[in-house]
Amino acid sequence: KEKFNNSIWLKNLGGVRCLSKQSSSLLADGQVDIKERRWYGIMEEKGQDFLVTFSLDSQEQLPQIIYKPKDFMGYLSFNNDYSKLVWIEWEYPYMPWDSSQLWLADINREGELENINLIAGNSSLDSNQISVFQPIWMNNGKLLVSEDSSSWWNLMITNDIVKDNKLISWKHLWPMKSETAMPQWIYGMSTTSVAGQKILSANCSNGRWKLNLLSEDGSGFEINQPFDDISGLNVQGSRAVAIVSNSKVGSGLLELDLTSFKWTHTPANKILISKDQISQPEDFWFKGYLGENTHGLFYSPTNPIYSIPPLLVKIHSGPTSMARSGLNLEIQFWTSRGWAVLDVNYGGSSGFGRKYRERLKYNWGKTDVCDCVFGAEALIQTGKADKNRIAIDGGSAGGFTALLSLCEADVFKVASCRYAVTDLIGMIKDTHRFESGYLEYLIGASEENFELYKDRSPLYKAEKINCPIVFFQGLQDKVVLPSQTERIASILTNKNN
């Protein structure tokens, strides 16, 4: 970004050239039309997204704007002959995993869009919201996409080859209570890829991922491979690649032959501890907020020092993320020193269906806090944790939950917070464009719920915190500003002086 001044650069055998003029605009999510030699992508300029193109045969060009969505767009995908383009849009105040739409257009010889139509998802005005994820063209001209009208992100495919943009019907051939998608925080996320006439799909059930090979007749089977933390899936020919890990093997590149189903794994880093020293996660279900079944991954200490171990409760960020089952050396640091760890999939986490995610709607600071407190108490009651030595740790949204947990309960005796959200009122004014409406989902409309925003902000109830906290904060953070940490740290410091 800084080196190239947000420009698009093309590298070929003749060298490197800059396709775009230097600009303060942001360019991303690019796709190349090989047939007409054009780059298509998203430009963000002055708080608005645009679909733009650049010729591959010129340099230092101004962008050609060919489409303007109402708010946000991304996930561009061409069909095989580059005559059709699909993409995803979503509107303020929604996030793409709450409500989004799939759009389709023809591309003429000049690179312009024609016959633009909404073909999946729904209007932001509809009461029942649907999220769509990662549209893909099949080799036979049919279109594939994940959507969650069933309360689970499942794949659906068009009944026929896509010809007339207005006459599109869909079928759900592979219904399952598992997720074939994840919250779209960034461009380029991939859980599905076309493998000839078949579909390779990663599916998440209860926080663990599997690989399935699906056919258009509705059949499919799980591929036997040992990894249950999967992302970045892609297929070329008969070979698939993905970023994978499991509870004993660190993250690395999976290469899978789809003919023989033989695989290799190349870890990104060498793991210096033996597998018998690694604590294995156990699925731990407990009654959380409003008595709802809530999930966590529990790690027993591998080096028991205490008759009843101290416990670290970890809170993921997002807050739509999830406690992942892949090898986490930070967790292993604690378990190797006699600690137990609970990695909580509090209500709002992904990987458990839409209803589980929507437990956090209007309840951020309640559902998540209760789930973390009740999870710790459940382990204390079963004798797996020492009630006098319970710690909590979280970053960003997880830091927010950690701080509120200290305000609302006395179960935690010490805390670690990384770039924690502390002031929801301040966040309304300071947050970036992508998340600018997110708090309306998590808390409610700010004008009507001002006192609720204040009540859910750790900053305004810091006097209730009575345990040591260590704070970590990046001074260049543009999402959670340093002032969020500085203010609450100052209040706590003055309180204890």
Side-chain angles (χ1 to χ4, degrees), residues 234-254:
N234 196 276
V235 174
Q236 292 291 330
S238 63
R239 296 185 68 81
V241 295
I243 305 300
V244 303
S245 63
N246 62 27
S247 60
K248 288 190 175 183
V249 178
S251 182
L253 180 67
L254 171 72

Side-chain angles (χ1 to χ4, degrees), residues 57-267:
D57 299 317
S58 302
Q59 55 186 356
E60 296 188 359
Q61 308 160 71
L62 291 172
Q64 179 184 354
I65 296 175
I66 61 172
Y67 180 75
K68 176 184 174 182
K70 182 174 180 180
D71 288 309
F72 300 92
M73 70 179 297
Y75 284 82
L76 312 179
S77 181
F78 287 107
N79 66 346
N80 284 353
D81 65 2
Y82 301 97
S83 64
K84 293 182 180 292
L85 179 69
V86 290
W87 65 90
I88 291 175
E89 292 188 24
W90 62 100
E91 299 176 14
Y92 176 91
Y94 294 102
M95 303 300 279
W97 52 86
D98 296 322
S99 177
S100 55
Q101 305 88 39
L102 183 64
W103 291 79
L104 168 68
D106 294 323
I107 304 175
N108 64 25
R109 292 295 301 273
E110 287 72 40
E112 299 166 337
L113 301 187
E114 298 176 340
N115 303 320
I116 302 171
N117 283 285
L118 173 66
I119 60 170
N122 56 7
S123 165
S124 62
L125 300 177
D126 292 343
S127 57
N128 294 321
Q129 298 302 322
I130 298 172
S131 168
V132 292
F133 177 89
Q134 195 193 355
I136 302 173
W137 292 92
M138 297 288 291
N139 294 331
N140 59 10
K142 293 184 178 182
L143 190 56
L144 183 74
V145 72
S146 289
E147 60 92 54
D148 66 353
S149 60
S150 68
S151 293
W152 298 88
W153 269 312
N154 279 187
L155 289 170
M156 66 178 184
I157 191 170
T158 55
N159 277 298
D160 302 299
I161 296 171
V162 177
K163 293 180 180 179
D164 188 330
N165 294 4
K166 295 181 181 179
L167 302 176
I168 292 176
S169 59
W170 300 87
K171 52 189 175 184
H172 292 80
L173 293 177
W174 312 279
M176 57 185 77
K177 290 187 176 181
S178 64
E179 306 272 53
T180 58
M182 55 183 66
Q184 303 98 301
W185 281 98
I186 58 174
Y187 292 135
M189 302 171 78
S190 176
T191 58
T192 302
S193 194
V194 172
Q197 296 304 311
K198 296 184 181 294
I199 299 155
L200 185 64
S201 176
N203 307 86
C204 185
S205 178
N206 289 335
R208 298 178 190 268
W209 292 85
K210 301 176 181 178
L211 280 178
N212 290 285
L213 195 61
L214 309 175
S215 300
E216 278 195 54
D217 63 4
S219 63
F221 62 89
E222 182 184 343
I223 295 174
N224 184 22
Q225 52 82 38
F227 303 101
D228 57 8
D229 189 0
I230 302 171
S231 62
L233 182 64
N234 196 276
V235 174
Q236 292 291 330
S238 63
R239 296 185 68 81
V241 295
I243 305 300
V244 303
S245 63
N246 62 27
S247 60
K248 288 190 175 183
V249 178
S251 182
L253 180 67
L254 171 72
E255 297 180 74
L256 174 67
D257 188 313
L258 295 175
T259 303
S260 65
F261 298 108
K262 293 181 178 179
W263 57 268
T264 60
H265 180 262
T266 306

Side-chain angles (χ1 to χ4, degrees), residues 8-10 12 15-19 37 56-59:
I8 298 299
W9 290 71
L10 175 69
N12 57 21
V16 179
R17 64 174 176 269
C18 184
L19 302 181
R37 296 187 57 77
L56 299 185
D57 299 317
S58 302
Q59 55 186 356

Side-chain angles (χ1 to χ4, degrees), residues 342-409:
L342 177 64
D343 204 355
V344 185
N345 276 312
Y346 54 83
S349 304
S350 56
F352 300 83
R354 188 179 184 105
K355 290 181 179 179
Y356 199 101
R357 294 201 313 274
E358 288 186 340
R359 291 183 191 178
L360 207 61
K361 188 173 185 178
Y362 306 137
N363 281 322
W364 193 33
K366 290 183 65 177
T367 300
D368 48 329
V369 168
C370 287
D371 287 352
C372 292
V373 171
F374 294 166
E377 290 177 341
L379 289 171
I380 292 170
Q381 291 166 8
T382 57
K384 293 184 176 181
D386 183 344
K387 67 177 182 179
N388 296 313
R389 290 181 290 187
I390 310 291
I392 191 167
D393 167 75
S396 190
F400 165 87
T401 301
L403 288 172
L404 270 187
S405 297
L406 300 180
C407 296
E408 303 297 341

